[in-house]
Amino acid sequence: VGGQTAIPKVIQDQISALGINVRRIGGSDRYETSALIAKEVGVNNGEIALAYGLSFADGLSIASVAAKKQMPILLTRDTSIPNATKDFINSNNINKTYVVGSTTVISDSVVSQTKNPERLGGANRYETNSLIFNRFKSEINLNSIYIASGLAFPDALSASAVAAKDGNFVLLSNIRQVEWTVRNVLSDIKPSLNNVYVLGSGVVIS
């Protein structure tokens, strides 16, 4: 996934040499790549998510929910919608757009160009993460939950697919202190909760 500046052809060739079929899904930039991935996912239920393309937290916050709902995540700029994203929106039958993030990351002028928008945006990445959890709580399997750093993307990105597999959720956490959003979610779902998976070493989450 991504163009050759993201993953060079030499890596693609090394995988091919193992006898594995390789197909690249990559555009000229992150926005076109997100639109190409969206085409692979399809708009099966008429819903899409729109996330800010220059930061990772909001997109990751909705990743497990989007995967479970088979809902593509499209990337946007803060004050304008890239052409690739706009073309995808205009060429598909979309009846719901979940706009992930506050007005500081996705402006109202962008939201006005989407179809039936619902904004899920808090004062910071942790509050946005919590708002998404509460919005889709009825559709989330509360038996297990994943906790990943909200300050770097790899662990949350790695976990979002496995969380989606069983309908779980990835909570974003600070490194050395428990955000009130994390505390509230865990307290709320404690009667149902059997497993908490903390991702990363003690350096990442103490």
Side-chain angles (χ1 to χ4, degrees):
V1 176
Q4 292 191 28
T5 54
I7 299 181
K9 188 175 182 297
V10 63
I11 294 177
Q12 186 175 340
D13 293 342
Q14 287 172 354
I15 298 172
S16 294
L18 297 173
I20 299 170
N21 290 327
V22 180
R23 182 165 64 94
R24 183 183 293 273
I25 304 172
S28 60
D29 58 21
R30 64 191 64 193
Y31 307 105
E32 188 178 350
T33 295
S34 79
L36 291 172
I37 295 169
K39 288 178 183 177
E40 296 287 329
V41 176
V43 187
N44 302 305
N45 59 4
E47 298 179 340
I48 64 169
L50 189 68
Y52 182 49
L54 296 181
S55 183
F56 62 86
D58 293 344
L60 284 179
S61 284
I62 204 164
S64 62
V65 171
K68 180 179 182 297
K69 293 169 70 68
Q70 294 186 302
M71 174 176 69
I73 302 172
L74 289 151
L75 301 182
T76 184
R77 299 187 183 93
D78 53 354
T79 57
S80 64
I81 301 181
N83 288 334
T85 301
K86 188 181 297 184
D87 290 345
F88 183 89
I89 291 172
N90 291 335
S91 60
N92 283 274
N93 185 23
I94 296 166
N95 55 43
K96 184 71 174 180
T97 303
Y98 296 103
V99 179
V100 187
S102 68
T103 54
T104 57
V105 291
I106 300 179
S107 67
D108 286 336
S109 63
V110 166
V111 174
S112 67
Q113 299 175 62
T114 63
K115 299 176 181 178
N116 190 20
E118 178 182 344
R119 187 187 288 277
L120 300 168
N124 57 37
R125 63 190 60 194
Y126 306 109
E127 194 173 321
T128 295
N129 181 252
S130 176
L131 286 170
I132 292 168
F133 173 84
N134 286 310
R135 172 63 177 81
F136 297 102
K137 181 181 174 183
S138 63
E139 303 175 50
I140 294 171
N141 177 2
L142 304 177
N143 178 268
S144 299
I145 202 157
Y146 294 79
I147 300 178
S149 170
L151 300 177
F153 70 87
D155 294 342
L157 178 61
S158 298
S160 58
V162 70
K165 182 174 178 288
D166 294 319
N168 306 131
F169 190 79
V170 181
L171 281 175
L172 298 185
S173 170
N174 215 321
I175 296 176
R176 304 198 183 283
Q177 64 186 32
V178 182
E179 294 289 329
W180 66 266
T181 51
V182 174
R183 190 187 300 277
N184 285 359
V185 168
L186 293 178
S187 297
D188 181 37
I189 67 174
K190 190 175 180 182
S192 307
L193 190 60
N194 290 324
N195 304 295
V196 175
Y197 299 100
V198 180
L199 302 166
S201 69
V203 176
V204 178
I205 296 180
S206 67

